[in-house]
Amino acid sequence: MAVVGSANVDLVFRAPTVPAPGQTLLGSDFTSFLGGKGANQAVAAARLGADVSFIAKVGHDTFGSDIARTLGRNGVDVTFLSAEEGVATGTAGIVVADSGENAIVVASGANWKLEPEEIERALAATHPDLVLTQFEIREESVEACSGQDRLVVNPAPARDISDAFCAHIDILTPNRSEAEQLTGLRPSNDLTCWTCANVLFDKGIKNVVITLGSEGAFFATPHNGRRLPTLSVRAIDTTGAGDAFNGALATFLLQGRDLENAVQLANAVAAISTTRRGAIPSMPTLAELKEAVGRLF
């Protein structure tokens, strides 16, 4: 499997409120997390036993070195994770208020320097059975993933998708808000999820999985669709749950499991990840998953 996408560092400040323009606040806590949707999904898949190559770009800086080391320790092949001179690793500055409100500034940095030609060369060298990508890199870089045996696209953050590219997508995995932005319809129940899926089928996408948080996920083929519930857990941090789902879904599809079973297992992986803090640190192992939902194997 190849994961093509982003690698970021999140710098998280906790404060009484989100500061107003020109205001300085004394924060109560600071933490930093390695992440980015691509890196999170690559680790999620590797911890479940997938053979993962990560195709991405970081800056030639400390953050970039930290990301490469962390991914390597988690079993991800970083041969095609390159460091770009003169540009910073992607970084997000996040202020979280005591109320839970937040304000976020993202500097895409090196993620925006990942060129389509670099992706095409890496995919030609690795010959992956499945490619998983997201939208935290440039549109033309995402579209460089076309023409693969199987292509799973997580449209996050949402943006318009050309009909030409839709024809290459085997599985599209929007969450509720992304599905609404792509179709103009809010997937609030099973009927509206099915309606959203049909809009996407009309664009040429072959299968659709709409993630619904604690309500599970709605999977749809052109012939049928239904919602699959997830585990009931005490969630403490939902950061990276969608990435856990996508990495797991790709992994289990590669194992030859049908879409319904793969979605059920991915639901469980995402649920378990919410019981821990952070994104990469929260991704469960295959042994932990089997202990939780052995009946699904």
Side-chain angles (χ1 to χ4, degrees), residues 3-276:
V3 177
V4 180
S6 58
N8 290 328
V9 175
D10 294 340
L11 307 177
V12 184
F13 302 83
R14 290 198 169 268
T17 63
V18 174
Q23 182 182 20
T24 299
L25 294 175
L26 290 177
S28 58
D29 189 27
F30 169 78
T31 51
S32 63
F33 299 102
L34 302 182
K37 292 184 181 299
N40 293 342
Q41 292 175 15
V43 170
R47 286 195 178 172
L48 294 168
D51 183 5
V52 184
S53 293
F54 185 42
I55 302 169
K57 185 161 283 188
V58 293
H60 202 275
D61 52 27
T62 301
F63 287 156
S65 298
D66 289 345
I67 288 169
R69 281 194 299 270
T70 299
L71 292 174
R73 284 198 299 267
N74 280 279
V76 176
D77 181 357
V78 294
T79 302
F80 296 99
L81 173 63
S82 58
E84 179 88 357
E85 293 280 0
V87 64
T89 296
T91 308
I94 305 169
V95 178
V96 181
D98 291 342
S99 65
E101 181 185 10
N102 62 49
I104 303 173
V105 176
V106 177
S108 296
N111 293 310
W112 232 241
K113 296 292 185 179
L114 181 62
E115 299 293 339
E117 296 79 9
E118 295 175 293
I119 295 168
E120 291 166 356
R121 286 195 297 270
L123 292 175
T126 54
H127 301 290
D129 294 329
L130 182 149
V131 175
L132 171 61
T133 190
Q134 330 76 33
F135 284 0
E136 287 186 332
I137 56 177
R138 296 193 339 249
E139 181 177 356
E140 57 266 36
S141 297
V142 171
E143 294 188 357
C145 298
S146 301
Q148 303 304 308
D149 289 341
R150 299 178 86 176
L151 177 60
V152 179
V153 176
N154 176 216
R159 63 182 178 224
D160 291 340
I161 311 174
S162 70
D163 288 348
F165 183 57
C166 284
H168 293 279
I169 300 174
D170 293 291
I171 303 176
L172 189 76
T173 62
N175 64 18
R176 185 176 269 126
S177 64
E178 291 153 2
E180 181 177 13
Q181 186 166 338
L182 291 170
T183 67
L185 302 167
R186 180 72 174 172
S188 56
N189 53 37
D190 288 0
L191 178 59
T192 49
C193 283
W194 178 243
T195 304
C196 285
N198 276 280
V199 171
L200 296 168
F201 294 147
D202 288 344
K203 294 177 178 291
I205 293 164
K206 298 176 182 66
N207 302 279
V208 175
V209 178
I210 302 174
T211 56
L212 303 169
S214 62
E215 297 174 35
F218 187 93
F219 88 100
T221 71
H223 307 294
N224 66 80
R226 68 188 184 93
R227 186 178 64 84
L228 298 172
T230 189
L231 293 178
S232 178
V233 298
R234 180 178 175 274
I236 63 171
D237 185 355
T238 60
T239 305
D243 298 329
F245 180 95
N246 279 276
L249 179 68
T251 298
F252 295 121
L253 290 171
L254 270 180
Q255 290 181 357
R257 297 179 180 276
D258 61 41
L259 181 58
E260 180 172 353
N261 182 237
V263 170
Q264 289 174 313
L265 289 166
N267 271 341
V269 169
I272 294 168
S273 77
T274 68
T275 66
R276 305 161 181 175

